[in-house]
Amino acid sequence: MNFSHILFDLDGTLTDPKIGITKSVQYALAKFGIIEDNLDRLEPFIGPPLAHSFQEFYGFSEADAWQAVQYYREYFADTGIFENELYSGIPELLSMLTQRQAILIVATSKPFVFAEKILKHFKLDHFFHAVVGSNLDGTLSDKSEIIRHIIEKENLNTASTVMIGDRKHDIIGAHNNGISSIGVLYGYGSTAELEAIKPTYCVHTVQELYEAFASGEEEAG
């Protein structure tokens, strides 16, 4: 896996945001009179664009879904954003890749303003050449669109670019833009979800991801 440009999803790939995201969704649902006490049931909200998830999982109309996103942000902006944990081994992985001259870019459906704050909180921001997220008005939230935007803006060679993510949307986005993909199974996409969409590579742990890049670079050298 000798890639010059590496795109990383954020939630479920660099950090484990379960508590913050699910509590924010729980808060938003309660505003509509929907009480969900089991946060595990809200895990499917981790990764995809929020408005789509409110429509898909709770049958919200487009207008109600957008209102739910606003409620979600009431909780997330000050509290949920920091109910988050860094996956063990991520700083070491990013350090190794940057030392080997790879260009790292965050490609997330999370709004840019939140993604940037999270990366700074975990002291990861200096590893990344760019951070591309959605806009607060909901535009640029589709992963295929985000990846296409990055490829065009950075004038990337698709043959030497890879997308790393834990959900099918990351892999579909890579497929739709003609780049390689790595599905990570330590996040929130199931084995069945990722295998069905056929990523170029699949890894189970951050350590396995580290070793795959390290061995790839050694073989290339």
Side-chain angles (χ1 to χ4, degrees):
M1 294 199 292
N2 187 25
F3 296 99
S4 63
H5 290 78
I6 304 172
L7 313 186
F8 280 91
D9 174 45
L10 178 56
D11 293 336
T13 302
L14 294 174
T15 71
D16 181 352
K18 177 182 175 178
I19 300 302
I21 289 179
T22 56
K23 280 191 173 183
S24 299
V25 173
Q26 182 186 55
Y27 174 90
L29 291 174
K31 293 286 191 178
F32 288 88
I34 301 170
I35 305 304
E36 179 53 77
D37 294 323
N38 187 348
L39 295 180
D40 291 345
R41 292 177 183 166
L42 302 178
E43 284 187 6
F45 278 83
I46 302 172
L50 284 169
H52 296 175
S53 294
F54 280 113
Q55 293 177 74
E56 179 180 355
F57 303 128
Y58 285 89
F60 281 19
S61 66
E62 185 174 347
D64 281 349
W66 181 241
Q67 182 59 60
V69 171
Q70 304 313 305
Y71 288 140
Y72 171 100
R73 289 176 181 165
E74 286 180 4
Y75 183 92
F76 187 80
D78 296 321
T79 304
I81 189 170
F82 299 120
E83 293 177 319
N84 197 348
E85 294 182 2
L86 191 62
Y87 283 117
S88 177
I90 286 296
E92 292 80 4
L93 169 65
L94 300 180
S95 179
M96 182 268 289
L97 292 173
T98 53
Q99 287 173 11
R100 296 182 178 219
Q101 308 305 311
I103 304 299
L104 311 184
I105 298 172
V106 171
T108 176
S109 293
K110 184 181 291 298
F112 166 78
V113 292
F114 295 145
E116 186 179 46
K117 189 176 292 188
I118 289 167
L119 292 169
K120 287 182 178 178
H121 173 71
F122 286 114
K123 298 180 173 58
L124 299 181
D125 51 309
H126 66 283
F127 289 116
F128 293 97
H129 167 72
V131 178
V132 179
S134 63
N135 300 312
L136 287 172
D137 63 4
T139 56
L140 198 64
S141 62
D142 178 78
K143 193 55 69 84
S144 294
E145 186 183 2
I146 290 168
I147 294 173
R148 182 166 60 252
H149 174 81
I150 293 171
I151 290 171
E152 293 175 352
K153 182 179 180 182
E154 301 292 338
N155 193 28
L156 301 187
N157 176 357
T158 55
S160 59
T161 301
V162 64
M163 175 71 210
I164 303 175
D166 68 313
R167 298 299 306 275
K168 64 182 180 181
H169 311 82
D170 302 303
I171 310 307
I172 291 170
H175 289 337
N176 288 343
N177 286 282
I179 66 172
S180 296
S181 59
I182 303 173
V184 297
L185 289 167
Y186 57 79
Y188 287 91
S190 67
T191 300
E193 176 182 322
L194 290 181
E195 286 183 348
I197 208 65
K198 294 181 171 57
T200 314
Y201 308 96
C202 207
V203 300
H204 294 81
T205 65
V206 175
Q207 181 62 28
E208 190 177 335
L209 185 59
Y210 182 103
E211 291 170 357
F213 275 113
S215 62
E217 291 284 354
E218 288 167 4
E219 290 169 8

